[in-house]
Amino acid sequence: MTLSHLSSIISFFLFTASISGQKLYTPTLSLQREGVLRDPERAVSASIADDFETFFFNQTLDHFNYRPESYTTFQQRYLIDSRHWGGANSSAPIFVYLGAESPIDGSPTVIGFLRDNAAQFQALLVYIEHRYYGESIPLGMSFEEALHETNIRGYFSSAQALADYAAIIIHVKQNLKARDSPVIVVGGSYGGKLASWFRLKYPHLTVGALASSAPILYFDDITPQDAYYSVVTKDFKEASETCYQTIGDSWSEIDRVAQEPNGTSNLSEMFKTCKPLESGDELKNYLMSLYAYAAQYDDPPRYPVTVICNGIDGANTTENGILGKIFAGVVAYKGNSACYVNPPTNVSQTDLGWGWQVQYTLDHI
């Protein structure tokens, strides 16, 4: 979907709000990586450190229960860019980015869509950090401590996050006396789920939601559990039938080699692993993640899926057969490196928290 198409959607949301005949009274009473492409005709300066103000909201720990600890509060971070805002008197819109499974720090630069459209719509931009990430962790705990403490971990849910966003949106509009400024919430992937759910659960607070790449139907008994990897498989098959077939044959070949004497050592040597493999499954998990990431972010002009398949199809290898071709695909994608597979990594909050996010997301169904 192009930026011009998305802009027309925003225009529709705002037009609908303006002709509804009802003022937007506020009653009393959450997808990132580098190298995201930007529309050069709309893109603004990437130097944005001075464009945003950082605020902290005194957020309620538990929005839904009435136990004594429910009234505990914590500081939740949000960012505001008001450079292009037309102001409350003009009922200029407010675009709210709902933070997902990572700290909010990089969102203003990576999520270019809001900034690229702010001037056209004279919009206020608000980015809200999801509870338990970045600087929005309850009770002064570290992220690890909050996840380890069972009672505190229970508040790490999508429903609580949505209520957080509602409270901050109300707070911002009250502070700016922007009662009549329509709000559009925006999110991607899990954040897109949050945006769509927010529109359903809090329709009095937002006139629309942009839910980019949001797997809103990806739940048991709605979408098959293998649907994601079916799409990944389709991407590779469309790129190259022989590449697709080689990858398909490689799984049983990895199992076969792993079961041989010194099998995992041989696999470690074939794939130049950064540390010895403990099992064939470890290698298979790495490859599945690599293929999935390449398919999910199959960006032009590089097109990672094609890069991997060109490496596999173009491999001139006889010694290691199918697995030699698979390794050639890894090298084509990763480039020359001292080692591949299981490299040392810094575990991020996303890595630690996503498993719990997936589990607690189900509370909203």
Side-chain angles (χ1 to χ4, degrees):
M1 186 178 291
T2 64
L3 281 175
S4 60
H5 189 188
L6 289 171
S7 295
S8 68
I9 293 174
I10 292 177
S11 298
F12 173 77
F13 285 153
L14 300 180
F15 177 70
T16 303
S18 68
I19 66 173
S20 66
Q22 299 180 1
K23 292 193 174 183
L24 299 175
Y25 293 101
T26 306
T28 303
L29 284 181
S30 284
L31 258 34
Q32 313 177 33
R33 63 194 182 96
E34 299 299 330
V36 174
L37 299 180
R38 303 282 295 282
D39 184 338
E41 295 183 359
R42 296 168 179 254
V44 295
S45 170
S47 177
I48 65 165
D50 298 330
D51 297 344
F52 282 82
E53 292 183 86
T54 300
F55 298 90
F56 287 88
F57 178 71
N58 205 32
Q59 189 63 265
T60 300
L61 178 63
D62 183 1
H63 295 280
F64 306 112
N65 297 292
Y66 302 96
R67 295 187 294 267
E69 62 270 22
S70 299
Y71 299 95
T72 302
T73 60
F74 67 97
Q75 295 293 292
Q76 185 166 12
R77 181 168 55 157
Y78 65 97
L79 313 176
I80 290 182
D81 180 354
S82 59
R83 289 179 309 125
H84 300 291
W85 194 39
N89 292 335
S90 64
S91 298
I94 301 173
F95 296 165
V96 180
Y97 176 76
L98 305 185
E101 69 276 17
S102 63
I104 204 73
D105 302 85
S107 296
T109 53
V110 175
I111 311 300
F113 175 73
L114 277 71
R115 294 177 54 77
D116 294 347
N117 286 278
Q120 176 184 348
F121 293 97
Q122 296 185 311
L124 181 76
L125 304 185
V126 181
Y127 296 74
I128 307 176
E129 189 164 65
H130 193 296
R131 60 165 54 202
Y132 284 65
Y133 288 103
E135 297 182 25
S136 303
I137 304 173
L139 305 178
M141 293 181 166
S142 69
F143 189 73
E144 294 81 0
E145 289 171 340
L147 290 185
H148 181 74
E149 183 63 44
T150 305
N151 291 334
I152 302 302
R153 189 175 64 230
Y155 302 115
F156 184 32
S157 72
S158 58
Q160 297 284 1
L162 293 176
D164 291 344
Y165 300 142
I168 291 178
I169 289 171
I170 290 171
H171 170 75
V172 169
K173 293 188 73 173
Q174 287 177 341
N175 276 2
L176 298 176
K177 296 179 173 58
R179 184 189 66 180
D180 298 330
S181 290
V183 171
I184 294 176
V185 293
V186 180
S189 191
Y190 167 58
K193 281 185 175 182
L194 294 175
S196 61
W197 289 338
F198 190 89
R199 171 64 177 148
L200 291 171
K201 190 172 180 64
Y202 300 96
H204 54 292
L205 295 182
T206 178
V207 299
L210 290 177
S212 177
S213 299
I216 56 174
L217 299 179
Y218 207 169
F219 295 99
D220 291 345
D221 302 324
I222 300 177
T223 300
Q225 291 186 356
D226 64 349
Y228 178 87
Y229 281 103
S230 294
V231 175
V232 173
T233 300
K234 179 174 178 287
D235 287 347
F236 277 86
K237 190 172 184 178
E238 290 177 349
S240 166
E241 183 73 31
T242 55
C243 170
Y244 155 77
Q245 189 63 52
T246 301
I247 292 173
D249 293 341
S250 71
W251 306 121
S252 59
E253 182 65 7
I254 291 172
D255 290 338
R256 185 190 68 78
V257 174
Q259 292 171 4
E260 294 177 344
N262 301 317
T264 53
S265 296
N266 292 334
L267 288 174
S268 299
E269 183 176 349
M270 286 183 204
F271 283 86
K272 293 178 62 176
T273 62
C274 299
K275 58 184 179 181
L277 293 169
E278 297 182 3
S279 67
D281 286 343
E282 184 180 358
L283 175 59
K284 289 162 68 175
N285 288 337
Y286 170 83
L287 292 172
M288 282 191 289
S289 295
L290 182 144
Y291 298 146
Y293 193 90
Q296 182 164 318
Y297 302 113
D298 198 22
D299 300 3
R302 186 170 182 242
Y303 295 108
V305 170
T306 301
V307 169
I308 292 173
C309 281
N310 286 344
I312 290 174
D313 291 340
N316 183 13
T317 175
T318 56
E319 182 180 355
N320 293 322
I322 290 175
L323 297 187
K325 292 182 178 182
I326 296 297
F327 179 62
V330 173
V331 174
Y333 179 61
K334 290 290 189 179
N336 292 324
S337 178
C339 67
Y340 306 88
V341 190
N342 58 34
T345 57
N346 293 322
V347 179
S348 68
Q349 289 186 344
T350 302
D351 296 328
L352 292 171
W354 182 236
W356 291 109
Q357 289 279 185
V358 171
Q359 178 176 339
Y360 282 109
T361 291
L362 297 176
D363 67 5
H364 206 73
I365 303 306

